[in-house]
Amino acid sequence: MTQTNGDLFEAVSSQAQTAKAAARVLSTLSTAQKNEVLLAMGDALLSSANQILLANELDVQDAISNGQSDSRIDRLRLSHKRIEEMVSGLKQVVHLPDPVGERLSTRKRQNGLVIDQIRVPLGVVAMIYESRPNVTVDAAGLTLKTGNAVVLRGGKEALRTNSILVESLRKGLTQQGLPEGAIGFIDRPERETVDMLIRMRGLIDLAIPRGGAGLISTVVERALVPVIETGVGNCHVYVDRDADFQKATSIVINAKTQRPSVCNAIETLLVHESIASAFLPLIAADLIAKSVEIRGCEKTLAILQTLFNLHRDHIVPAQDEDFETEFSDLVLAIKVVHDEKEAIDHIDRYGTRHSEAIVSENMVAAEEFLQQVDAAAVYHNASTRFTDGFEFGFGAEIGISTQKLHARGPMGLEALTSYKYVIRGDGQIRG
């Protein structure tokens, strides 16, 4: 190991070890104590708002200078409103039920043993994420409420912002007599720190990567600790032959343009061929008015020929790779499908098991879609943008799991717990 790598390892290991020690303290806190800390953390953020915004502006200017896309800059940029939303998220977590200590089941055996299954914290959670500073606050709040310590490893593009956020959050901790190591922070930008963190068995109990497909696959492939895959969202809306055009238009526009940089925004629109000639010109005009670039299949381009001639900068032929791409931008692939089966087959091939929607007034078709599509969240006549811990009533989320174990969909408090069996006896021994 080189001197540089040795220094890096020491920096990462120190944060993990300190978090491990802090986790023991956090696991003993009452709900009231945890809520007081969360409120103190929120107050500290508000008190530091100007410092946070100054640091964030430097990060944003660097991102602009480095040619980052508008969507990435949007993820990075903070404002007074976004800081207030972070604090609001912490306050909402305060009002949510504390899952730690919940008795999941009780069994009394014939020999007199009483076996309780009790929710407990996971221990130390490693959050590895890109761009979005709000993840720093969300992760700290949710892990604190569930009695877990966290080690944060954000992207280098937000290093200044995250540093001030963590400093502020730690003030809230220490004001309430808790160790600041409960919120660990890797302040080194080198990529090697990720590999080191996700291989620390015995110190890290769970790793949660949030970001692009490259980051997530790297963590999944290299980790020696348990991992929950989150966030990659190649999401679809399928407009069925029996769709209400007004509903379909509203849903598609919202799901694509309300915030295109997030993982629950759609990337592909599928349209039943029997309504394509009537619906596509309507939705295409609205998409173009929102500055969306349309990448259409051959049938789509043929139907949109007139618009295509007028808007060649907004309508282009789709390539095969467009249907498997998470654009995270004002770009939408469109495909005309023969029927619902072809739509489901397309989603099964290209989707990332995140969020999928059908627009239809046909209840039979809708139920078939909801049952057959394999995704964490499936929608009927609603935008995929609702796949979110806040919208589901979970409070701020720590991520959206696209796998099936041990959590799926928006991950709130319960997803950050495990359980143990507590057995009470009166001298029983096994014969």
Side-chain angles (χ1 to χ4, degrees):
M1 183 181 292
T2 66
Q3 182 66 41
T4 300
N5 281 347
D7 291 343
L8 279 180
F9 183 83
E10 178 58 32
V12 175
S13 177
S14 173
Q15 293 296 312
Q17 290 178 30
T18 305
K20 188 72 171 180
R24 293 184 63 181
V25 177
L26 298 179
S27 69
T28 66
L29 297 181
S30 68
T31 301
Q33 288 174 307
K34 290 186 283 190
N35 288 341
E36 286 298 319
V37 177
L38 288 166
L39 293 173
M41 287 162 57
D43 289 342
L45 287 174
L46 291 176
S47 297
S48 304
N50 289 334
Q51 295 171 268
I52 294 168
L53 292 177
L54 286 173
N56 183 248
E57 184 58 30
L58 293 175
D59 284 335
V60 168
Q61 290 305 316
D62 279 354
I64 294 172
S65 299
N66 293 331
Q68 295 290 331
S69 67
D70 289 345
S71 61
R72 279 187 168 270
I73 291 169
D74 176 61
R75 293 181 183 188
L76 175 61
R77 190 185 299 276
L78 292 181
S79 62
H80 280 288
K81 181 181 178 182
R82 286 189 176 178
I83 292 174
E84 289 170 1
E85 287 172 349
M86 291 177 184
V87 175
S88 176
L90 291 176
K91 289 180 178 179
Q92 186 175 19
V93 173
V94 167
H95 296 294
L96 292 172
D98 184 352
V100 176
E102 177 188 356
R103 182 180 289 107
L104 299 174
S105 67
T106 298
R107 295 176 176 86
K108 186 168 184 178
R109 305 297 293 160
Q110 289 182 346
N111 61 6
L113 289 178
V114 178
I115 304 173
D116 289 326
Q117 185 185 29
I118 306 293
R119 282 197 187 276
V120 296
L122 291 168
V124 179
V125 177
M127 281 297 303
I128 301 150
Y129 54 106
E130 299 170 338
S131 297
R132 300 179 191 170
N134 66 290
V135 175
T136 302
V137 178
D138 291 348
L142 286 168
T143 52
L144 190 284
K145 179 79 176 201
T146 48
N148 295 293
V150 67
V151 179
L152 303 164
R153 201 287 186 183
K156 64 180 180 181
E157 66 278 4
L159 187 57
R160 298 185 188 91
T161 306
N162 286 335
S163 295
I164 300 298
L165 286 173
V166 170
E167 182 181 321
S168 302
L169 293 167
R170 285 174 169 173
K171 285 179 183 177
L173 284 173
T174 56
Q175 286 170 6
Q176 298 298 312
L178 294 183
E180 67 174 27
I183 304 176
F185 179 59
I186 308 300
D187 60 1
R188 300 286 293 267
E190 292 90 339
R191 291 184 178 181
E192 293 89 340
T193 59
V194 173
D195 277 352
M196 293 172 182
L197 188 61
I198 62 178
R199 298 172 73 85
M200 290 188 169
R201 296 178 65 182
L203 292 177
I204 303 299
D205 295 289
L206 177 69
I208 304 177
R210 284 187 63 174
L215 169 67
I216 293 171
S217 63
T218 295
V219 172
V220 170
E221 291 167 6
R222 298 182 182 179
L224 295 180
V225 302
V227 177
I228 288 183
E229 297 182 56
T230 69
V232 176
N234 187 11
C235 306
H236 304 72
V237 166
Y238 165 56
V239 180
D240 184 52
R241 65 186 303 164
D242 296 313
D244 178 305
F245 282 14
Q246 185 174 353
K247 287 181 186 177
T249 300
S250 176
I251 288 167
V252 170
I253 294 299
N254 178 264
K256 179 69 262 185
T257 70
Q258 196 255 350
R259 197 172 179 194
S261 64
V262 294
C263 61
N264 56 21
I266 62 167
E267 309 295 6
T268 298
L269 169 63
L270 303 171
V271 181
H272 195 291
E273 64 180 9
S274 68
I275 62 164
S277 295
F279 179 69
L280 282 177
L282 298 175
I283 191 62
D286 285 351
L287 288 167
I288 291 169
K290 294 283 190 178
S291 300
V292 176
E293 177 185 308
I294 294 170
R295 300 187 183 181
C297 68
E298 290 183 6
K299 290 180 180 179
T300 299
L301 294 181
I303 292 169
L304 299 179
Q305 187 63 51
T306 300
L307 278 174
F308 178 59
N309 291 333
L310 292 173
H311 299 282
R312 291 182 179 270
D313 55 336
H314 279 96
I315 304 177
V316 299
Q319 306 300 317
D320 286 344
E321 57 267 24
D322 290 326
F323 295 112
E324 60 188 22
T325 299
E326 184 184 22
F327 300 112
S328 299
D329 207 344
L330 289 172
V331 180
L332 182 67
I334 300 180
K335 181 177 176 62
V336 176
V337 295
H338 177 65
D339 55 18
E340 183 180 32
K341 180 181 183 303
E342 184 180 350
I344 294 173
D345 288 345
H346 181 97
I347 292 170
D348 187 58
R349 177 178 178 183
Y350 295 106
T352 52
R353 311 295 186 258
H354 193 296
S355 300
E356 309 293 353
I358 180 174
V359 183
S360 180
E361 299 305 301
N362 184 323
M363 295 301 106
V364 174
E367 286 303 316
E368 288 179 351
F369 185 93
L370 297 176
Q371 290 176 20
Q372 294 180 29
V373 169
D374 182 13
V378 287
Y379 291 83
H380 175 212
N381 287 347
S383 170
T384 58
R385 285 285 289 114
F386 286 104
T387 306
D388 175 85
F390 186 86
E391 295 292 340
F392 278 22
F394 300 163
E397 74 188 25
I398 202 160
I400 298 173
S401 170
T402 55
Q403 63 186 45
K404 298 180 181 180
L405 295 175
H406 76 285
R408 197 177 199 195
M411 295 173 57
L413 298 176
E414 290 185 359
L416 288 172
T417 64
S418 182
Y419 58 82
K420 67 181 178 183
Y421 291 97
V422 177
I423 302 94
R424 293 179 173 88
D426 186 29
Q428 290 90 337
I429 60 173
R430 184 169 178 175

